[in-house]
Amino acid sequence: MAYQFYESEETQLLRQAVRAFAAKEIAPQAFALDRDEQFSVPLTRKMGELGLFGMIVPREAHGQGLDYLSFIVAVEELARVDGSQAATIAAHNSLGVAPLFYYGSPAQREQWLPRLCNGEHLWAFGLTEAGSGSDARSNRTTARYDSKSKQWIINGSKLWITNGAAENTLGITVQAVTGRAEGKPQLTCFLVPVDSPGLRRVAMKDKMMWRASNTGELYFDNVRVADRERLGEVGQGFKIMMETLDNGRLSISAMGLGLAKGALALALDYAKQRQAFGVPIIDHQAIAFKLADMATRIEAAENLLYKACWLRQEGKPFQKLAAMAKLYCSEVAEFAAREGQQIFGGYGLMKEYPIERFYRDAALLRIGEGTSEIQRIVISRYLRR
Ligand code: COS
């Protein structure tokens, strides 16, 4: 089928619902939550009540049964107002729920998905470690099999885990080294409930951005999980993590696109009402051209991201475009936040004005879930094939 993009009526209605929710429920709190570096369980639950948990999981598996574009649109609409809340939803759906749904056994799905899709609880993705970020195969966390108890014993730590230390988080998918195969570390994933003895979770503080989202540091001290809590096969861990990140790149792209759209909306409003030299500043070409450049790049970013979603939905290879979208949408977000801030002048430097928060939040997007440099590695590898 030739590429043809349209937003279904269902997706349009969802967009309207999330936009209205973000304006009514998130916007009034965003400043204070950011200032106080506070993750809000009640607000997260409200997003759950709206149907933003388990969005792409079919209804028969307890999810919302929506297509991927609908999920992306929801994340975009949240990010238009607040990157932190968008991060909670993006990470829960694409990094938390998705691997459980795609790689979980029927028993694992039945055990966890109902509680992860009903808006009550979050699930996190434990890949990154203090010494292992871009080089995601160099994890040091280990899992040793104890054949007597049929349990795995996990030792090590994870860092920068979105939703990892939230009080409404139920568990974490953890990649650990389970041995060596053909001279390389053998990596395997495990589903680790947060109440496992020996697991300690600490919320990371003093972040520059996404201050109202939860970022956790996790410590595993002889944490035991039953073999039935292994996700996928022994040695399949890296593939699970990488395939999960291929999808995750789409939701990070949506965060970039949403942030850019939010920055444009703020700057446009301001440029229409702020006067200088006797006219609204939008009448000065220097400002009008900035807005034109922001809008043009946003259009290009949207087309790239939605095409990547379309490819995914059609079951076609989408990974190269997902990496391009992640790279480009985060660049557009940073551009729009900076130009938006420039239009606000001195006010753009004040925390009271949301554009200041957008400027800080944009920085995460070129670093988190695979840096811009990693996206370029992925894209260039596809070009070489
Ligand atoms: N999907 C499925 N399998 C994949 C894959 C993908 N997207 N990417 C790699 N693999 C597989 C390869 O096919 C290869 O399999 P075999 O061993 O069977 O041949 C294996 O994984 C190793 O692949 P590769 O040699 O390409 O791995 P590298 O160590 O060179 O790493 C990159 C590749 C850099 C792309 C990877 O490490 C990466 O994405 N890093 C960034 C991680 C990241 O985003 N971290 C932030 C997380 S925040 S939540």
Side-chain angles (χ1 to χ4, degrees):
M1 189 183 169
Y3 173 54
Q4 188 190 19
F5 174 73
Y6 72 99
E7 226 171 273
S8 69
E9 203 184 328
E10 194 184 21
T11 306
Q12 283 175 20
L13 288 173
L14 178 78
R15 185 189 285 284
Q16 286 164 17
V18 180
R19 185 171 294 193
F21 173 88
K24 181 166 175 267
E25 302 287 348
I26 300 177
Q29 305 189 50
F31 169 77
L33 293 176
D34 175 78
R35 181 195 58 205
D36 302 341
E37 210 168 8
Q38 193 192 335
F39 171 80
S40 168
V41 173
L43 186 53
T44 307
R45 290 230 166 93
K46 280 188 181 173
M47 293 194 285
E49 283 163 18
L50 188 64
L52 303 185
F53 282 27
M55 295 185 75
I56 53 160
V57 174
R59 284 187 183 278
E60 57 275 19
H62 312 283
Q64 314 301 329
L66 293 166
D67 62 10
Y68 216 81
L69 183 66
S70 299
F71 163 52
I72 289 305
V73 161
V75 172
E76 184 193 314
E77 287 300 325
L78 295 173
R80 223 171 158 271
V81 170
D82 183 11
S84 291
Q85 307 314 321
T88 304
I89 293 303
H92 176 59
N93 282 279
S94 66
L95 302 183
V97 171
L100 247 162
F101 172 65
Y102 290 121
Y103 307 99
S105 66
Q108 288 170 337
R109 287 176 169 196
E110 208 41 54
Q111 182 182 1
W112 299 113
L113 288 179
R115 282 181 288 167
L116 297 177
C117 295
N118 72 0
E120 283 292 313
H121 297 100
L122 298 167
W123 194 272
F125 177 80
L127 175 64
T128 301
E129 300 181 1
S132 169
S134 292
D135 184 4
R137 272 197 294 165
S138 65
N139 275 185
R140 290 281 178 85
T141 297
T142 58
R144 183 176 58 79
Y145 190 58
D146 173 27
S147 51
K148 227 165 136 191
S149 61
K150 292 195 171 55
Q151 286 178 330
W152 293 86
I153 304 165
I154 304 177
N155 280 288
S157 63
K158 298 283 171 183
L159 201 64
W160 285 303
I161 309 303
T162 303
N163 298 333
E167 61 187 86
N168 56 338
T169 295
L170 214 49
I172 306 117
T173 303
V174 175
Q175 175 179 279
V177 181
T178 46
R180 286 189 80 76
E182 295 165 15
K184 296 180 198 160
Q186 178 194 61
L187 299 161
T188 306
C189 286
F190 300 93
L191 304 174
V192 183
V194 292
D195 55 5
S196 305
L199 171 60
R200 190 162 67 87
R201 304 184 299 141
V202 182
M204 294 173 75
K205 290 290 175 190
D206 287 335
K207 287 180 293 177
M208 165 190 169
M209 44 8 86
W210 284 12
R211 287 167 58 84
S213 85
N214 178 272
T215 310
E217 232 170 309
L218 311 173
Y219 298 95
F220 303 84
D221 181 11
N222 289 317
V223 172
R224 287 177 168 266
V225 290
D227 190 44
R228 64 174 181 279
E229 298 286 22
R230 171 168 43 79
L231 185 69
E233 301 301 323
V234 171
Q236 204 196 353
F238 191 65
K239 192 170 176 291
I240 291 176
M241 289 285 168
M242 289 300 109
E243 287 179 357
T244 301
L245 287 178
D246 283 333
N247 290 299
R249 283 172 193 146
L250 296 173
S251 55
I252 290 280
S253 308
M255 296 193 57
L257 179 62
L259 188 151
K261 286 184 178 180
L264 175 61
L266 291 170
L268 195 54
D269 270 2
Y270 185 75
K272 285 183 195 162
Q273 48 98 0
R274 168 77 181 185
Q275 301 270 326
F277 305 103
V279 291
I281 60 172
I282 197 169
D283 289 345
H284 295 297
Q285 203 175 56
I287 301 300
F289 279 16
K290 283 189 193 302
L291 294 164
D293 285 345
M294 287 159 79
T296 305
R297 292 189 199 192
I298 287 169
E299 190 67 28
E302 185 182 86
N303 276 281
L304 184 51
L305 171 57
Y306 291 1
K307 182 172 180 187
C309 288
W310 176 82
L311 286 171
R312 190 191 181 283
Q313 268 164 212
E314 290 296 311
K316 296 175 194 289
F318 69 97
Q319 293 82 352
K320 181 179 75 179
L321 258 70
M324 288 177 168
K326 199 288 187 178
L327 172 65
Y328 189 65
C329 290
S330 52
E331 285 181 353
V332 171
E334 208 158 33
F335 174 78
R338 178 164 51 79
E339 290 298 78
Q341 188 178 48
Q342 193 73 12
I343 290 171
F344 272 83
Y347 293 105
L349 302 171
M350 302 305 290
K351 290 197 181 293
E352 191 187 338
Y353 287 76
I355 194 74
E356 184 271 346
R357 175 164 47 82
F358 280 44
Y359 183 79
R360 285 184 284 112
D361 281 349
L364 178 287
L365 302 170
R366 62 181 153 78
I367 295 177
E369 270 196 66
T371 60
S372 293
E373 291 74 14
I374 288 291
Q375 306 312 322
R376 289 187 170 93
I377 289 176
V378 172
I379 296 162
S380 56
R381 282 185 180 181
Y382 279 106
L383 297 178
R384 286 169 63 144
R385 278 183 192 173

